[in-house]
Amino acid sequence: MQQEHINAGKAIQKRTGRTFYLATRFLPERVRHATHVLYAFFRIADEVVDDANGVPPEEQRAKLEALRAQALGERAPDDPVLEAFQELRTEYGITDEEINEFIDAMATDIETARYETYADLESYMRGSAAAVGVMMTAIMEPDDEATALPHAIKLGEAFQLTNFLRDVREDVLDRDRIYIPQETLQEHDVEPAQIERLEFDESFASAMAAELQRTEELYREGVAGIRYLPEDCQLPVLLAAVLYAEHHTVIRAQGYDVLTQEPSLSTARKLWCLAKTRWHWHWNRDPEAVFQRVSAIPSREPDHRGPEHGDGVPTR
């Protein structure tokens, strides 16, 4: 890949994905450059539907189809990121199926603003998150890709669900979307209209708590597969998991109220997560053990050590 193409992807990732960008910086160069391009491709497609600003649905679809044709190599790329993505697709054997799954999921966002069941949301995430996990795994080139892939897919879904739970306020205000499954809302006596009005109460808090627990099980399944990645990729992926999961601590600290204020991580907090993860990794190269020690995700078994981890970081 040409350096100008890598730089174009890097600029997009640095601007739009600061948390993931921080973890990406620790990847080996052979994977880091490809990650910049992949992330930029994902964002270009995502912004077609997320930043539509009144663009008619048919025009959004046309833009996505143009992206699809360029990503699949059916049309000459009109953007340096797309040119670099075409090179990646060939070099790492990224299949047409994964590209189509991803673009199809982006197209779903044009008209679908609610998901009745978690199964419906999971079907959407097959393209929006799982396909991303598959492509990321491809560029890391693990020795046993078949074993690594299911875990990578779960981790990609966990990242996306964290984003959904973090961004409830933004999604409903800016895009009229609610990604919390309607069945979860019904189980906890929450009306969608209540979320649309940004009205927080204990019923909404209980729905959020349930979805956090669902997401945290995906983190556990995903992190369990980090050991199957190349050694020089394990710490960066672990860092990404710790950083994304840290939003759960903020959400709980806000009493699950993501309607009044969107939870966010300060730079200092991100750097602290990074530092403690690297310190524990220095002494223990078991991704699951380190994740359990430093992340915001509670262990499956009740923690009898008190309200804090041994390093003074709140577990809840």
Side-chain angles (χ1 to χ4, degrees):
M1 289 181 291
Q2 297 181 33
Q3 189 61 45
E4 63 178 302
H5 297 167
I6 295 169
N7 290 341
K10 181 178 179 180
I12 291 174
Q13 185 184 14
K14 190 173 183 179
R15 172 175 57 85
T16 61
R18 291 187 295 272
T19 298
F20 190 50
Y21 177 76
L22 181 58
T24 300
R25 293 176 62 183
F26 291 89
L27 285 166
E29 183 177 291
R30 62 184 175 80
V31 179
R32 185 171 67 250
H33 289 172
T35 300
H36 292 324
V37 172
L38 271 187
Y39 186 92
F41 168 66
F42 300 146
R43 285 303 307 170
I44 288 171
D46 195 44
E47 288 175 357
V48 170
V49 292
D50 277 1
D51 300 332
N53 293 324
V55 177
E58 58 272 18
E59 187 174 333
Q60 295 177 53
R61 288 193 195 90
K63 288 181 178 179
L64 285 176
E65 289 309 312
L67 280 174
R68 187 198 305 270
Q70 292 174 66
L72 293 172
E74 298 170 354
R75 182 186 302 180
D78 60 12
D79 181 281
V81 168
L82 291 166
E83 186 172 341
F85 180 82
Q86 282 194 6
E87 294 179 34
L88 280 185
R89 179 180 63 87
T90 301
E91 181 177 355
Y92 294 101
I94 294 173
T95 67
D96 292 357
E97 177 188 2
E98 298 306 326
I99 295 170
N100 283 322
E101 288 276 7
F102 175 72
I103 296 295
D104 287 347
M106 297 302 97
T108 298
D109 274 333
I110 296 174
E111 292 185 345
T112 303
R114 307 287 187 273
Y115 291 86
E116 187 62 32
T117 66
Y118 178 71
D120 294 334
L121 184 63
E122 195 173 33
S123 179
Y124 165 75
M125 291 195 297
R126 172 61 189 90
S128 63
V132 172
V134 171
M135 293 187 218
M136 282 296 302
T137 303
I139 66 173
M140 291 183 190
E141 300 183 299
D143 290 335
D144 188 354
E145 186 172 301
T147 302
L149 265 178
H151 296 283
I153 288 170
K154 293 298 183 183
L155 193 56
E157 290 175 346
F159 289 173
Q160 182 154 69
L161 285 175
T162 291
N163 283 346
F164 288 159
L165 297 173
R166 179 196 67 193
D167 297 341
V168 173
R169 176 184 172 88
E170 177 185 331
D171 284 334
V172 74
L173 283 178
D174 296 350
R175 306 176 186 99
D176 188 33
R177 294 186 200 146
I178 298 176
Y179 288 105
I180 300 174
Q182 299 298 296
E183 64 180 3
T184 300
L185 298 179
Q186 292 165 9
E187 288 169 6
H188 296 272
D189 298 319
V190 178
E191 294 291 333
Q194 175 185 333
I195 298 176
E196 292 163 10
R197 295 191 299 267
L198 303 178
E199 293 179 1
F200 174 79
D201 62 13
E202 288 306 310
S203 294
F204 178 79
S206 65
M208 282 290 297
E211 289 302 310
L212 279 180
Q213 290 177 6
R214 188 203 305 273
T215 305
E216 288 166 356
E217 185 57 36
L218 290 173
Y219 274 103
R220 296 183 190 105
E221 293 180 43
V223 168
I226 292 177
R227 70 179 69 250
Y228 303 116
L229 299 176
E231 288 187 10
D232 57 3
C233 294
Q234 290 182 18
L235 175 60
V237 175
L238 179 61
L239 285 172
V242 170
L243 287 167
Y244 272 86
E246 186 67 13
H247 288 92
H248 293 208
T249 296
V250 182
I251 290 171
R252 287 190 169 105
Q254 294 179 189
Y256 302 102
D257 182 3
V258 295
L259 298 177
T260 303
Q261 179 183 3
E262 181 176 315
S264 62
L265 303 181
S266 66
T267 299
R269 189 168 199 145
K270 291 178 184 178
L271 293 176
W272 168 238
C273 286
L274 187 155
K276 65 180 179 177
T277 303
R278 291 186 70 189
W279 191 88
H280 282 283
W281 185 255
H282 177 75
W283 298 103
N284 185 354
R285 297 302 176 95
D286 180 343
E288 286 182 276
V290 175
F291 186 76
Q292 183 175 336
R293 179 68 177 173
V294 306
S295 81
I297 307 300
S299 60
R300 286 191 179 94
E301 297 297 322
D303 191 340
H304 300 295
R305 295 174 295 169
E308 295 185 341
H309 284 305
D311 58 4
V313 181
T315 62
R316 296 282 182 173

